[in-house]
Structures are given as structure tokens and as C-alpha cells.
Amino acid sequence: MLFVVPPYLGMDEINTGEPESWFTSVTVPLGVISIAAYVGKYADVNFSVLDLNVSIAKHADKFMCTKWEDFLKDELSEFLKKETPDVVGISAIFNSQIGYIDKISTYSKEFWPKTIVVSGGGGVGTSMSSEVFERAPKLDAIATGEAEIPVLNLFKAPLKLEYLEEGKGGKQEIELSKVNSSCRILLKI
């Protein structure tokens, strides 16, 4: 599984700040680490993390001279050379990160067409999930609440995409519930 952590700041804030100020946005992605630790304890899953806050800070010169979309593609293409993830998880704990989900999910599907792309976090897995699906049509699922158990269940499923499409729990929203007739699912605990 590849976790992608979008920038915490909006692009307009990043572009007006000095590169040194970006380091204030580099923090440990605790939600991602918590999910990886829990799922790794109960399932044999390899995790990678692409924290775009770190990427921007490390490659400030390149970032300042490159369009955001091209910078993102370059960062994802580095992972393309190394591995093909079964699942890409986009962590968006802040509302400011929601705007990045579309491009990240679109490029993930472009690079890895059979990969399941999910998102979650405080900014996504709340009452805004329908809006997030509208803004990011390539997204397969959204985790709401604590994602450790739903992500573990996803990895334990022999056929992951079929597991999502089944929408276990139907409209009762016990664990997985369909938002609409397409393969857009809310992962719930």
C-alpha cells in the first residue's frame, strides 16, 4: 500500500511563502503510521509513504520552477519505478488537502490502472464525503472514522475490488456502505 500525504497548505499559500516556511508544514503523518502499524500487525502488507510536504521541502527549487501537476507526476513516477501498489491511500486530515485528492487519484489510476484508490482523514471522512467523490471521480472509496479496521478488512479480502463493490452492510453503514450505484464506497467501522 502506498500512502500519499498531500500538502497541508493550499497551493496559493505555498506559492506565496518562502521555502523555509514550508518546513513548518512537515510533521509526522501519525494517522498513516497508526493505520500501517495496526494493519501490519494482522496482515502481511508492505507500506510506503509519499509525504508531499517533505517532497516540497526537499525539492524546493524544483517545486518553485514546476507546475504542481508536473511536480506531483514526477513524485509519483518515482514510486512507479519501484513498485505497483494494490492500494493507494490518500490521507487528508485537513480540509485544505481535499483539493489535492483529484489529481493524486487521477495520476494513481493513470500509473496503476488496477490499483484501488481510497482516501480518508478528518477532512474527507466527514459530511464532505459526497463532495469529495464529486471532486475526485477516480476515487474508489472513502474511509470514515478510524480507518485501521476497514483497511485491514480490505487487505484480508481475497478480491479487494469486489469486496468494495459488494458494499458489505448495504445501506446500514455497518462497515462498508455504498454512496451511489457506482463503485464509490464509504469504508466504515
Side-chain angles (χ1 to χ4, degrees):
M1 178 172 192
L2 169 61
F3 283 110
V4 180
V5 181
Y8 296 128
L9 301 174
M11 215 29 72
D12 55 335
E13 294 175 277
I14 294 172
N15 288 329
T16 58
E18 293 296 317
E20 294 79 23
S21 69
W22 298 335
F23 287 105
T24 62
S25 296
V26 178
T27 63
V28 177
L30 294 176
V32 166
I33 292 170
S34 176
I35 295 167
Y38 183 82
V39 173
K41 180 177 180 179
Y42 298 105
D44 184 22
V45 180
N46 293 320
F47 293 96
S48 297
V49 178
L50 171 58
D51 188 335
L52 293 166
N53 297 286
V54 174
S55 296
I56 290 169
K58 282 176 67 176
H59 310 291
D61 291 338
K62 176 183 170 187
F63 175 77
M64 291 176 66
C65 299
T66 308
K67 286 181 17 185
W68 161 245
E69 291 82 2
D70 295 334
F71 183 84
L72 175 60
K73 264 190 169 180
D74 288 348
E75 292 298 305
L76 285 172
S77 70
E78 288 301 312
F79 276 87
L80 177 64
K81 296 173 188 174
K82 300 177 200 171
E83 59 188 90
T84 300
D86 291 346
V87 177
V88 171
I90 306 167
S91 172
I93 60 171
F94 302 114
N95 288 352
S96 60
Q97 294 174 295
I98 291 172
Y100 299 109
I101 295 172
D102 179 45
K103 288 293 181 200
I104 295 169
S105 59
T106 297
Y107 293 153
S108 294
K109 288 288 191 178
E110 182 181 309
F111 289 141
W112 307 290
K114 295 182 181 192
T115 294
I116 294 171
V117 180
V118 300
S119 188
V124 174
T126 61
S127 59
M128 296 186 71
S129 56
S130 294
E131 180 182 335
V132 173
F133 278 133
E134 286 177 24
R135 292 173 133 203
K138 298 292 185 184
L139 204 57
D140 293 308
I142 290 176
T144 62
E146 303 297 324
E148 287 83 349
I149 293 171
V151 172
L152 174 63
N153 291 339
L154 178 63
F155 275 101
K156 285 185 169 183
L159 302 170
K160 292 172 186 51
L161 189 57
E162 287 80 357
Y163 178 73
L164 290 178
E165 289 171 345
E166 286 173 8
K168 182 180 171 190
K171 295 186 178 190
Q172 299 171 13
E173 297 183 352
I174 295 170
E175 185 170 351
L176 296 172
S177 60
K178 291 187 178 183
V179 190
N180 59 34
S181 60
S182 69
C183 184
R184 295 181 180 158
I185 310 300
L186 289 175
L187 295 171
K188 289 204 177 243
I189 56 171

